[in-house]
Amino acid sequence: MNKTDISELKRRMKKEACTFTRLCGCYVDADRNKVTTFGETFLNLEDEEFFKYLEIARKVLSGTVGNNILELEFPAGQEAPGGRQQFLMGLRESALKSDELTDAFFDLVIDNYSYVGNYLILVFHDAYDVMTRTSDHNKLDESEEVYEYLLCAICPVTLTKPGLGYREDENRIGPRIRDWVVGVPDTGFVFPAFSDRSADIHALMFYTRDTKLPHTEFMESGLGCASKLTATEKKLTFQSIVKEVIGEEEEESEAMFLSIQGNLNDMIPVTAEDEDEPPAPLTAADIADVLSDSGVPGEQAAIIEKTYTDAFADELPDAEQLVDQKLVEANGRRMEKLDLIRQVTNLKQQLDETRALPVTADGEDGEDVPAVKTYDVILRVKPEKVGQIHSQVIDGKRCLVIPMDEDEHAAVNGVNTTV
């Protein structure tokens, strides 16, 4: 399953390309009671309903692969008679025309989906005639296979907020009538998975809007698949591992943490030759290199490496999944500040060295005596002006006199000065 496959399905969620054959739904209240169920021939829907349902279906195919959309595989036991995969196969083959099977599906969701509040279960049936493509991705006018699939969307249903509105029947401003509104999908799936432009009956595409708290209970109990971590969960887990070991209160620990993020970000390829080619996972050795470059002491680095391996043993993340761009930007600002401090320190050192240049003074015997003096005035003039400079006592004070012609200009401390 890759971005291209999902985009191909999503492009069909338009009025002129949509081929959904049937839509079934079940409205569930907060007590898990079925308030109402329905079944419709999708193409017979009124335009307003048609586009609203189509928009909901598109949402299940939106987001980032590996974060909002996960590919879940069925274990062998679920592909045996009585397993979840076998049940979904039967539901697909019925094309949602069996009330008994669709009702059983709604029961399956209700029993295994943990949600506080009302929600709507929608399930669509489609048969997509997949056209053969040439190597340059142009379509040929012949069918490669018919991809028959189910798309499920579970949408929260919330009560509109109280407020004032125009009561047309009474011709006055009064309390607005509150009603229940279907929101965008919270969870959903597509079965079977669409992989390499073909049906993969051994897997499904699982959608979650909340990547921090996906419904793992529905992945496992409802769909019978082993749950997977989203990219957001991997990122937060890794950050938690690092902070647990190096701490997060001291300034040095914070600097190491930000440095780790910066070094991980450097490992993300700028451009990929093939966008659908999965990025290389980070091994324990890769993490060891990042920690070493970030200044993490060896003992702490060893603990992080082991915990990392244990936490992600089944599915190692790639660099992009562990990077928080806000932290990368914070590290960038930190590095700019450190660089600025270094520049200021170097300039100050150079200035101190210039002020403390060795000079000579005449001793009583006429010999030059080494001395050190801090200069109060430093002149930079053109070579031809050096011979014109002389000292003169003016108003009782010793002054340096530099003759200036009318067409000559001077700058004092970098500021142009009129003479």
Side-chain angles (χ1 to χ4, degrees), residues 1 71-80 83-90 92-93 145-150 189-205 223-225:
M1 182 189 75
E71 184 173 7
L72 305 183
E73 296 179 353
F74 293 101
Q78 296 296 340
E79 296 190 1
R84 293 287 190 263
Q85 186 255 19
Q86 285 293 295
F87 173 75
L88 291 175
M89 289 284 286
R92 182 187 68 158
E93 290 169 7
E145 74 168 90
V146 176
Y147 170 58
E148 186 180 7
Y149 67 97
L150 301 173
F189 69 86
V190 174
F191 172 81
F194 189 57
S195 181
D196 196 21
R197 307 193 70 238
S198 182
D200 180 2
I201 62 172
H202 306 294
L204 59 79
M205 300 185 294
L223 299 173
C225 300

Side-chain angles (χ1 to χ4, degrees), residues 113-399:
Y113 181 70
S114 178
Y115 183 79
V116 179
N118 299 10
Y119 58 91
L120 175 66
I121 307 168
L122 295 173
V123 59
F124 304 76
H125 173 269
D126 190 15
Y128 169 34
D129 198 11
V130 183
M131 293 295 165
T132 303
R133 288 185 184 274
T134 59
S135 57
D136 58 358
H137 299 290
N138 289 323
K139 292 182 179 179
L140 294 178
D141 192 20
E142 59 182 61
S143 175
E144 193 167 11
E145 74 168 90
V146 176
Y147 170 58
E148 186 180 7
Y149 67 97
L150 301 173
L151 185 150
C152 173
I154 305 175
C155 308
V157 180
T158 56
L159 193 61
T160 56
K161 295 180 179 180
L164 295 176
Y166 174 62
R167 302 292 295 269
E168 188 176 2
D169 55 337
E170 301 176 13
N171 192 29
R172 70 180 184 91
I173 300 297
R176 190 176 64 184
I177 298 174
R178 302 177 67 188
D179 55 3
W180 294 91
V181 177
V182 178
V184 296
D186 173 76
T187 302
F189 69 86
V190 174
F191 172 81
F194 189 57
S195 181
D196 196 21
R197 307 193 70 238
S198 182
D200 180 2
I201 62 172
H202 306 294
L204 59 79
M205 300 185 294
F206 182 86
Y207 168 80
T208 178
R209 183 165 61 96
D210 186 350
T211 57
K212 291 182 179 179
L213 293 171
H215 286 270
T216 54
E217 83 288 344
F218 186 59
M219 295 184 200
E220 297 171 355
S221 301
L223 299 173
C225 300
S227 61
K228 282 188 177 181
L229 295 175
T230 65
T232 300
E233 288 180 300
K234 291 178 181 178
K235 176 178 63 181
L236 295 176
T237 299
F238 179 72
Q239 291 178 6
S240 177
I241 291 171
V242 173
K243 288 182 178 180
E244 182 71 24
V245 176
I246 69 173
E248 54 181 317
E249 296 182 358
E250 298 180 4
E251 185 176 341
E252 184 180 358
S253 299
E254 180 65 17
M256 279 193 293
F257 181 73
L258 292 178
S259 180
I260 290 171
Q261 286 289 307
N263 288 324
L264 284 171
N265 188 62
D266 292 341
M267 298 180 72
I268 300 174
V270 178
T271 55
E273 294 182 3
D274 184 355
E275 289 186 0
D276 291 330
E277 186 69 25
L282 293 180
T283 64
D286 295 326
I287 293 298
D289 291 339
V290 169
L291 297 176
S292 176
D293 294 342
S294 304
V296 179
E299 185 176 344
Q300 291 182 333
I303 297 173
I304 294 173
E305 291 169 41
K306 184 180 185 308
T307 311
Y308 171 85
T309 303
D310 294 342
F312 302 112
D314 297 332
E315 188 178 5
L316 293 176
D318 58 71
E320 189 170 6
Q321 292 176 329
L322 300 185
V323 168
D324 186 326
Q325 287 301 324
K326 290 183 179 179
L327 295 177
V328 172
E329 291 172 6
N331 184 61
R333 292 192 294 270
R334 181 181 73 89
M335 297 302 292
E336 288 177 0
K337 182 178 179 181
L338 290 175
D339 187 54
L340 183 60
I341 291 173
R342 282 193 293 268
Q343 290 183 38
V344 171
T345 301
N346 290 338
L347 289 173
K348 185 176 183 301
Q349 183 179 355
Q350 293 174 20
L351 183 59
D352 290 342
E353 291 172 353
T354 302
R355 288 178 172 174
L357 289 174
V359 298
T360 58
D362 293 335
E364 292 180 359
D365 56 359
E367 295 181 357
D368 289 341
V369 179
V372 176
K373 181 175 181 180
T374 300
Y375 291 105
D376 297 309
V377 178
I378 298 175
L379 294 177
R380 294 181 63 186
V381 297
K382 294 180 179 180
E384 58 267 22
K385 299 292 291 185
V386 174
Q388 301 176 22
I389 300 173
H390 64 276
S391 63
Q392 183 177 335
V393 177
I394 301 175
D395 295 334
K397 294 184 179 180
R398 190 180 180 189
C399 303

